Amino acid sequence: MNIVVVGAQWGDEGKGKVVDLFSSRADLIVRFQGGNNAGHTLVVNGKKTVLHLIPSGILHAEKLCLLGNGVVIDPLVFFEEVEGLKKAGVLGENASERIKISDRAHLILPYHRQLDVLREARASGEKSHEKIGTTGRGIGPAYEDKAARRGIVVGDLLDPEWLAKRLRSALEEKNVLFQHHFGEKPVEFEPLYQLCLDLGKKLNPFITDVRLLIEEARRKNETILLEGAQGALLDIDHGTYPYVTSSSTCSGGALTGTGLGLGHGKTEVIGITKAYTTRVGTGPFPTEIENTNPALAQQIRKVGAEFGATTGRMRRVGWLDLVALRYSAELNGVTGWALMKSDVLSGIEELEVATEYELDGKRIQHFPPSAAQLSRVRPITRKVRGWQEPLDGLSPEQWPETFRAYIRMIEEFTQIPVVLVSTGPGREQTHEIRVPSALR
Ligand code: IMP
């Protein structure tokens, strides 16, 4: 049985918390896309752990966590995270028995990071439409090399001769860009090659054919938890292109990013959504309230701690967008919602929720395919009464009627049940309304 956890909005919905919760009942936890652009803040027993690359299942001592072929790996960040988890007492000397990295996963090397940062810095003035507001971690340039067949995969680090050939070819083109487009110094082959060889030696115990481990688990009918990063609206194919990340963030990415086949067994897809919406970086955002009600945006940001776990950037804030959520449900085949951060809206008298859009004078019910269209959209919102009392400490039976009505509205609009409700950052502030069958 498989269970996929995906972000249903523009990321930062709280996937890490849900993966952490589900992990105790899964056999394998697998990240399938993205890299250290993600940031999962987990609070367990009042202690905060921030993860960027390693799956959130790592906090469960006996679980095996895998980084699939669809992930892009910055080895320097990976080792930093492993060290951090060792210091926190989460990992011991057996780190390489707990985490495995696919030999097919592509590497983020220093020149990818440099390119990402240079491009973003250039996108100002007349070129400001080119600014994506990336995390600057080299994600786009690494995926770009993968598609261009110029990438270096993790397994290449273990074959010095082959690695030298691959690295020379990659640098030949990169250096034209660095020198002639950006006016920077070329990247020298030798020090980078040495760095890669060293990283290969250190990474070796972690590297394996992750797909085989997944296949073994599948044959034994084990529960495989597939952990997504970012969110559906940042998907390279289905998101608000070009203001997206460079990977397949939807549930389809769980297949290509691990080597799992489409027809195997039953899969449940849990879509994670906040009770409102946030977005980091540039790009259209129909229900944004930053301009219409900056004080409220500020309040939600403060109460919800809406600052990026990776970059510390301020997140843009908006109302819940049901048009976008239904789109996301369709793209992902969502079977149940996890509704996060409802506690943040406590005390707001009247809430708004987008149920339709107006585009160029016409009412539409679907999420438009182009970012240009989406930026012209005016959301048609429904006003609903908020819940005045804090939700923390209340059991579902004690929830205020207005909050229950909010949940029903999401279920009725999307025709998908809310299976989990989170009312605070701690593990204990999570209410499982209906346990996904893969985890029973
Ligand atoms: P990149 O993934 O660093 O290339 O950034 C591309 C876009 O995705 C930017 O708008 C980022 O802010 C956004 N993004 C990337 N990762 C995350 C995430 O984990 N949460 C929210 N937004 C993200």
Side-chain angles (χ1 to χ4, degrees):
M1 276 242 191
N2 309 320
I3 182 155
V4 189
V5 172
V6 283
Q9 299 168 309
W10 277 286
D12 307 316
E13 300 92 351
K15 293 172 290 293
K17 184 182 174 185
V18 177
V19 170
D20 169 53
L21 181 84
F22 288 172
S23 291
S24 61
R25 287 164 277 161
D27 296 297
L28 270 189
I29 300 105
V30 194
R31 262 282 301 264
F32 58 84
Q33 47 72 227
N36 58 306
N37 46 350
H40 293 160
T41 307
L42 303 163
V43 182
V44 182
N45 301 329
K47 218 169 100 190
K48 202 164 121 174
T49 305
V50 182
L51 297 173
H52 298 286
L53 195 53
I54 295 176
S56 309
I58 200 71
L59 300 188
H60 296 265
E62 69 292 6
K63 301 295 170 178
L64 181 59
C65 292
L66 308 179
L67 294 166
N69 58 276
V71 179
V72 280
I73 313 273
D74 185 329
L76 298 169
V77 172
F78 174 75
F79 289 121
E80 245 172 59
E81 219 160 278
V82 168
E83 285 313 309
L85 288 170
K86 279 186 181 170
K87 274 203 194 107
V90 172
L91 284 178
E93 288 315 308
N94 66 344
S96 63
E97 285 163 32
R98 298 273 328 276
I99 309 168
K100 293 290 174 194
I101 302 179
S102 166
D103 41 14
R104 288 170 174 259
H106 278 249
L107 288 168
I108 301 179
L109 292 173
Y111 56 81
H112 292 121
R113 257 180 284 136
Q114 194 185 351
L115 203 53
D116 196 358
V117 172
L118 285 170
R119 280 188 187 143
E120 285 287 305
R122 232 174 191 239
S124 59
E126 263 178 30
K127 291 173 175 276
S128 58
H129 64 282
E130 288 178 10
K131 201 175 196 72
I132 308 292
T134 71
T135 58
R137 301 299 193 258
I139 306 295
Y143 277 116
E144 191 177 307
D145 276 0
K146 174 177 177 173
R149 293 154 292 187
R150 207 170 291 114
I152 315 281
V153 299
V154 166
D156 291 344
L157 295 177
L158 307 181
D159 183 340
E161 253 178 64
W162 175 244
L163 173 68
K165 283 187 191 158
R166 296 291 297 163
L167 209 52
R168 275 191 208 286
S169 313
L171 287 187
E172 207 174 84
E173 261 200 15
K174 285 287 171 297
N175 279 338
V176 174
L177 264 182
F178 281 129
Q179 285 177 280
H180 303 294
H181 188 66
F182 292 106
E184 294 286 320
K185 281 198 281 200
V187 178
E188 285 178 50
F189 170 81
E190 203 51 42
L192 182 62
Y193 180 57
Q194 284 310 323
L195 173 73
C196 287
L197 291 177
D198 289 348
L199 290 172
K201 279 190 198 126
K202 255 180 101 180
L203 217 48
N204 198 359
F206 294 91
I207 304 174
T208 193
D209 187 342
V210 158
R211 192 201 69 81
L212 277 180
L213 293 180
I214 297 173
E215 177 59 14
E216 269 169 35
R218 186 189 73 73
R219 286 182 191 209
K220 285 193 266 174
N221 214 13
E222 290 185 343
T223 300
I224 304 170
L225 173 53
L226 297 143
E227 172 181 353
Q230 292 85 44
L233 305 177
L234 286 172
D235 185 278
I236 182 83
D237 286 282
H238 305 286
T240 51
Y241 192 88
Y243 306 102
V244 292
T245 191
S246 303
S247 62
S248 298
T249 60
C250 290
S251 58
L255 302 178
T256 53
T258 61
L260 258 175
L262 189 59
H264 294 314
K266 188 171 171 351
T267 300
E268 282 181 79
V269 181
I270 306 300
I272 318 293
T273 174
K274 287 191 232 206
Y276 50 95
T277 313
T278 61
R279 173 164 205 171
V280 209
T282 56
F285 182 178
T287 61
E288 184 166 23
I289 53 178
E290 217 64 61
N291 302 324
T292 52
N293 196 341
L296 184 61
Q298 178 69 5
Q299 178 191 326
I300 295 175
R301 183 158 42 243
K302 202 167 153 209
V303 179
E306 295 296 356
F307 298 89
T310 300
T311 56
R313 286 182 297 173
M314 197 179 92
R315 294 179 187 146
R316 297 155 66 193
V317 174
W319 295 121
L320 185 65
D321 185 340
L322 289 176
V323 180
L325 211 55
R326 185 170 52 201
Y327 175 58
S328 182
E330 291 166 2
L331 291 173
N332 283 295
V334 170
T335 55
W337 295 118
L339 180 64
M340 316 301 283
K341 290 193 145 181
S342 315
D343 53 304
V344 174
L345 300 183
S346 280
I348 302 174
E349 211 157 300
E350 191 174 66
L351 306 171
E352 286 183 51
V353 182
T355 52
E356 277 182 290
Y357 292 156
E358 189 184 294
L359 175 63
D360 303 334
K362 281 202 196 100
R363 290 240 181 158
I364 57 167
Q365 286 74 40
H366 66 275
F367 195 78
S370 86
Q373 286 178 341
L374 195 67
S375 64
R376 296 200 303 276
V377 142
R378 187 176 73 80
I380 311 287
T381 59
R382 184 188 297 174
K383 291 189 169 44
V384 295
R385 275 185 56 217
W387 41 99
Q388 302 314 303
E389 41 288 84
L391 299 175
D392 191 20
L394 300 185
S395 64
E397 299 73 42
Q398 297 168 315
W399 285 340
E401 180 44 36
T402 44
F403 180 45
R404 289 163 183 277
Y406 198 77
I407 295 177
R408 278 199 304 275
M409 175 188 68
I410 296 171
E411 295 185 322
E412 280 162 18
F413 192 92
T414 59
Q415 292 293 298
I416 290 161
V418 171
V419 295
L420 183 149
V421 176
S422 165
T423 55
R427 259 186 196 164
E428 60 294 347
Q429 292 159 307
T430 317
H431 306 275
E432 284 192 81
I433 314 286
R434 190 185 304 174
V435 178
S437 53
L439 301 175
R440 276 181 212 145

